[in-house]
Amino acid sequence: EMAVNSSMDSVMSQYNRNLWDMYHLLFLEAESEEAIEESFISYLDFYLEQDNLYPMKRKDVKMINAERMTDKAGSALEQEILSYMKVRIPDLANDLGSVEAILDIVKGVDQEKPDWAAKECIDEVTDPSTEEGVEIDWEKIRLLDRLEEIFRGDLLDLIVEDDVEISTKSTRLQGIPSKERMIGSRTDERVKEFNLLEQFLISEYCLTNFDSFRSRCERTLNPDQQKLQYEQEYLLFGKESDRKNLIKTVEKLLGLRGALNLSYLMGKPECRNEVDMFTLAISGGNAYIQVVLSFFVLSLWAFGEAVWDVKLLMGGNSVPVLKDRSDWNLSMEEFIELRFLDDPPGLAGKGNDYQDYLRILFMLMNRTDRNFRIMDVIQWNVQSVQEDFRVEDCVSNVVDATEVEITFKKKPDTDKIGEHNV
């Protein structure tokens, strides 16, 4: 048993050094289980050939269920990441309370753009035949149409300043783990549920080991060798270019901030009263339409504030997840004047920065999608120094991931011959 364990340790000690140096992950690189068997047998035979108390020779070896990085929806990758994070960054657990509070806030938030269904009510009002003899403020209606047109446009151009250089990198997505993953196969099996701490640690791993629009991680890889520059944004959205991934990130952040801002406005009677006064002339006295339009305008106002919020985040400033009166920047008058299209006020940033908001998105994303996109980026970057590297060849060294069945026979120079299975 000692010889078997030592032999397997020796085999796993041949872990891929590039993978460790870049990402602190311990995986044995092997094209087949037969290759692992051959390496294992060479070490085992060496042990058995030495003088020892129990002279034996190997009769048969069978490798059973060597787990690869791509198996079980990336479960082995998760365990490797957790092993590294728990040992190297134990103090991250101290932040768990604040993260849990953030999750409670955003779990029920739709991260898409606000629902524009209320636009149907605007269309109905814009038909004079629906309310004959009622005075309607058409200028305000045109303003709402203009606002909706703005928010349906290119949100990245709306948020990022013209002098900010956006990466133009793009790549083909063929032949990468996330695209070769077979739904319902061994690579897509369901894995055990995560607790909050585990999800938090893997999110932190993504934030500290991959680059983003606002940060670069510490590693020796030359930026020119990277397939994509905004790696964290790729992990979140899986698009083929940096620009497309950044667009999706901006949309999600606007949706998240818009929903949180709307929650703030809904809790302020004075804000709702301002909106009611604005929509009174648009609704033509129809109470139902006014209620719907008021909610619609509140959503637009919240989204206008979100534009300033995300501009601040993309510029390296901070925005608190939950705002109070002192944190609110956009008045109703400024919203009507489209002031949110200008630069946000130069406030001393407090609260949460861009990386904090990406942390929220990471903690809420689908684990399987995240795992396979992590494999995509790892494969791209390791291939820059090892061209033939593929994550599907990486076998985990997680305890119990590999089972070995060996039959031993006592050497023939002994009086009795028997077999023993380990």
Side-chain angles (χ1 to χ4, degrees):
E1 195 168 327
M2 184 185 299
V4 170
N5 291 335
S6 298
S7 299
M8 183 53 66
D9 287 342
S10 297
V11 171
M12 299 308 297
S13 71
Q14 302 175 70
Y15 59 87
N16 186 291
R17 267 51 173 186
N18 293 321
L19 188 57
W20 169 257
D21 291 340
M22 286 186 179
Y23 294 105
H24 315 290
L25 303 175
L26 289 167
F27 281 89
L28 173 69
E29 189 177 8
E31 294 183 0
S32 65
E33 293 187 4
E34 288 74 17
I36 302 175
E37 279 187 23
E38 291 177 8
S39 178
F40 173 78
I41 287 171
S42 67
Y43 286 110
L44 181 62
D45 285 349
F46 174 81
Y47 281 109
L48 296 180
E49 288 167 2
Q50 309 309 310
D51 291 333
N52 56 69
L53 191 61
Y54 304 102
M56 292 181 290
K57 67 177 182 179
R58 169 182 54 84
K59 178 182 178 183
D60 188 32
V61 172
K62 183 179 180 183
M63 304 296 294
I64 304 173
N65 195 29
E67 185 175 356
R68 300 181 179 275
M69 190 188 296
T70 52
D71 292 344
K72 298 180 181 178
S75 178
L77 174 65
E78 289 179 334
Q79 294 307 313
E80 274 298 309
I81 291 174
L82 289 173
S83 296
Y84 168 70
M85 294 299 287
K86 287 177 180 178
V87 171
R88 298 297 299 271
I89 319 179
D91 57 321
L92 286 177
N94 296 332
D95 295 331
L96 190 58
S98 61
V99 173
E100 188 169 13
I102 291 175
L103 280 180
D104 289 340
I105 295 167
V106 300
K107 274 181 181 177
V109 172
D110 179 11
Q111 298 175 42
E112 302 295 338
K113 299 179 189 177
D115 184 3
W116 305 114
K119 178 65 167 59
E120 298 176 3
C121 294
I122 296 179
D123 293 337
E124 181 181 348
V125 176
T126 56
D127 181 2
S129 64
T130 60
E131 295 288 342
E132 292 184 5
V134 175
E135 225 178 282
I136 295 178
D137 192 332
W138 298 104
E139 184 178 347
K140 290 182 178 177
I141 294 230
R142 283 190 289 272
L143 172 62
L144 292 183
D145 281 336
R146 169 65 177 145
L147 286 167
E148 194 224 358
E149 180 183 347
I150 290 171
F151 293 144
R152 285 189 180 277
D154 190 328
L155 296 178
L156 186 61
D157 290 341
L158 179 65
I159 295 297
V160 180
E161 301 296 334
D162 294 337
D163 59 348
V164 176
E165 184 178 351
I166 295 177
S167 168
T168 57
K169 283 190 174 185
S170 63
T171 189
R172 294 167 59 95
L173 299 183
Q174 287 77 15
I176 58 176
S178 63
K179 298 303 178 184
E180 294 183 343
R181 161 188 160 204
M182 297 174 60
I183 304 299
S185 71
R186 187 178 177 187
T187 66
D188 197 51
E189 295 175 11
R190 294 181 63 87
V191 293
K192 71 177 183 68
E193 292 298 319
F194 258 22
N195 61 43
L196 187 63
L197 174 60
E198 292 172 324
Q199 187 77 346
F200 173 70
L201 289 176
I202 292 186
S203 298
E204 291 304 309
Y205 179 86
C206 294
L207 292 168
T208 56
N209 287 275
F210 299 98
D211 295 341
S212 76
F213 175 74
R214 289 294 319 169
S215 69
R216 282 193 60 81
C217 62
E218 296 181 3
R219 64 179 173 213
T220 58
L221 189 67
N222 189 312
D224 294 336
Q225 297 174 288
Q226 295 174 264
K227 295 286 187 180
L228 294 175
Q229 183 175 330
Y230 307 150
E231 295 172 338
Q232 292 179 31
E233 289 81 357
Y234 173 79
L235 299 184
L236 287 165
F237 303 109
K239 302 299 181 181
E240 69 272 15
S241 71
D242 281 332
R243 182 177 180 84
K244 288 184 178 180
N245 286 312
L246 198 58
I247 287 173
K248 291 297 294 183
T249 303
V250 166
E251 290 178 356
K252 289 290 185 181
L253 293 179
L254 283 169
L256 179 57
R257 281 293 344 144
L260 293 168
N261 291 342
L262 178 59
S263 177
Y264 169 85
L265 290 175
M266 293 292 288
K268 299 297 179 183
E270 62 272 23
C271 296
R272 298 201 309 271
N273 290 337
E274 283 188 76
V275 171
D276 288 341
M277 293 298 294
F278 177 82
T279 58
L280 182 62
I282 307 178
S283 63
N286 186 307
Y288 168 75
I289 292 180
Q290 183 180 3
V291 169
V292 176
L293 282 177
S294 291
F295 182 79
F296 180 58
V297 174
L298 280 169
S299 299
L300 291 174
W301 185 4
F303 206 68
E305 174 82 359
V307 169
W308 268 356
D309 292 339
V310 180
K311 279 185 177 181
L312 288 169
L313 293 173
M314 303 296 282
N317 295 293
S318 299
V319 176
V321 173
L322 291 181
K323 291 190 172 187
D324 55 31
R325 190 182 300 274
S326 64
D327 301 315
W328 192 266
N329 299 313
L330 188 67
S331 68
M332 181 67 179
E333 181 180 357
E334 290 172 327
F335 165 62
I336 297 302
E337 295 173 354
L338 306 183
R339 292 283 299 278
F340 61 88
L341 298 179
D342 301 330
D343 292 337
L347 302 175
K350 67 173 185 177
N352 307 90
D353 62 12
Y354 179 79
Q355 295 300 125
D356 288 331
Y357 279 88
L358 291 195
R359 177 179 287 110
I360 295 173
L361 299 182
F362 273 120
M363 293 187 71
L364 296 176
M365 77 176 297
N366 177 276
R367 283 170 56 198
T368 301
D369 290 341
R370 178 202 61 203
N371 292 348
F372 276 95
R373 289 173 191 163
I374 289 175
M375 295 181 213
D376 293 343
V377 179
I378 286 176
Q379 181 165 293
W380 283 332
N381 289 342
V382 176
Q383 282 179 346
S384 68
V385 295
Q386 180 187 336
E387 190 174 346
D388 62 349
F389 176 82
R390 292 176 61 84
V391 296
E392 68 180 23
D393 295 335
C394 294
V395 176
S396 171
N397 69 328
V398 178
V399 176
D400 296 331
T402 304
E403 298 177 14
V404 188
E405 183 178 295
I406 306 142
T407 303
F408 291 101
K409 179 180 284 190
K410 296 191 70 175
K411 289 184 177 180
D413 57 352
T414 60
D415 295 335
K416 296 182 179 180
I417 296 177
E419 296 183 0
H420 181 66
N421 290 327
V422 176

